[in-house]
């Protein structure tokens, strides 16, 4: 199923390019400073190409030490995986999200609207779990400017862009995003 939210929201960047500008940029997950800063209480993580090889259900082997450190510093429900596959309406019977939760020890958000449109569901999750009450207490970590970083900016949260992720993608859209990043 396509990403109607992504397509609709991407057009907003034409009129407001700051929507796709990250607050912080790192090449990959292992470069993240942990803790991020004292203000951040909750972290949203994209899965594919950020913490896991695309379409895999476990943490990328080279990132396991950093992952365990992140889980110690942001325990329990302070971490949330938000994917446009696992936990979305495309995840039949939520099989993918359940496997990822088992393999990572982190909850996967169940959401009906794909990124960047699911920001209200994210805020509700953190409020319900008494983790973060304000958007600026949340960091969104992802490898896509038009979904992850745009969602962070729509939420007024901290957007952290992983420029290359697990693998340097040759996907034309991702190459275009890296080209656009030169103008930030």
């Amino acid at each position: 199923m396509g990403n109607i939210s992504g397509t609709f929201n991407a057009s907003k960047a034409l009129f407001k390019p700051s929507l796709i500008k990250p607050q912080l940029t790192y090449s990959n997950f292992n470069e993240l400073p942990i803790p991020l800063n004292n203000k951040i209480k909750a972290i949203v993580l994209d899965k594919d190409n950020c913490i896991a090889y695309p379409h895999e259900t476990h943490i990328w082997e080279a990132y396991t030490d950093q992952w365990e450190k992140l889980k110690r510093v942001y325990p329990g429900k302070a971490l949330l995986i938000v994917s446009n596959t696992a936990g979305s309406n495309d995840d039949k019977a939520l099989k993918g999200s359940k496997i990822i939760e088992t393999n990572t020890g982190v909850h996967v958000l169940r959401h009906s609207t794909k990124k960047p449109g699911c920001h209200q569901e994210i805020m509700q999750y953190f409020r319900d779990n008494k983790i973060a009450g304000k958007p600026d207490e949340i960091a969104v970590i992802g490898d896509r400017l038009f979904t992850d970083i745009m969602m962070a900016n729509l939420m007024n949260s901290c957007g952290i862009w992983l420029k290359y992720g697990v693998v340097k993608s040759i996907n034309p859209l991702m190459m275009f995003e890296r080209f656009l990043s030169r103008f930030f």
Side-chain angles (χ1 to χ4, degrees), residues 88-104:
S88 75
N89 288 341
D90 293 345
D91 186 6
K92 301 300 178 212
L94 300 172
K95 288 179 184 176
S97 56
K98 291 173 186 172
I99 293 168
I100 293 165
E101 288 172 344
T102 298
N103 291 346
T104 65

Side-chain angles (χ1 to χ4, degrees), residues 26-157:
Y26 299 98
S27 289
N28 61 57
F29 182 71
N30 275 341
E31 289 187 3
L32 283 173
I34 299 173
L36 294 173
N37 67 42
N38 293 336
K39 191 173 188 174
I40 300 298
K41 296 179 180 177
I43 297 179
V44 172
L45 296 135
D46 178 41
K47 181 189 69 70
D48 288 335
N49 207 34
C50 289
I51 57 173
Y53 191 82
H55 310 292
E56 292 291 326
T57 59
H58 58 276
I59 301 301
W60 181 249
E61 187 176 332
Y63 294 167
T64 54
D65 290 343
Q66 180 81 330
W67 179 251
E68 291 305 318
K69 183 177 179 182
L70 187 72
K71 287 186 354 181
R72 280 191 305 275
V73 173
Y74 297 95
K77 298 193 181 279
L79 296 178
L80 179 65
I81 294 172
V82 180
S83 170
N84 273 347
T85 53
S88 75
N89 288 341
D90 293 345
D91 186 6
K92 301 300 178 212
L94 300 172
K95 288 179 184 176
S97 56
K98 291 173 186 172
I99 293 168
I100 293 165
E101 288 172 344
T102 298
N103 291 346
T104 65
V106 172
H107 185 73
V108 174
L109 182 72
R110 276 54 167 179
H111 53 91
S112 56
T113 304
K114 292 186 177 187
K115 294 182 288 185
C118 60
H119 48 86
Q120 292 173 337
E121 293 162 285
I122 292 167
M123 283 305 309
Q124 193 63 50
Y125 172 85
F126 287 126
R127 283 188 185 120
D128 289 350
N129 288 290
K130 298 175 178 31
I131 303 295
K134 299 184 295 185
D136 63 354
E137 298 172 329
I138 300 169
V140 177
I141 300 171
D143 68 322
R144 301 299 307 274
L145 296 174
F146 285 98
T147 55
D148 305 309
I149 300 307
M150 181 178 278
M151 183 175 70
N153 288 321
L154 289 170
M155 291 174 63
N156 294 312
S157 296

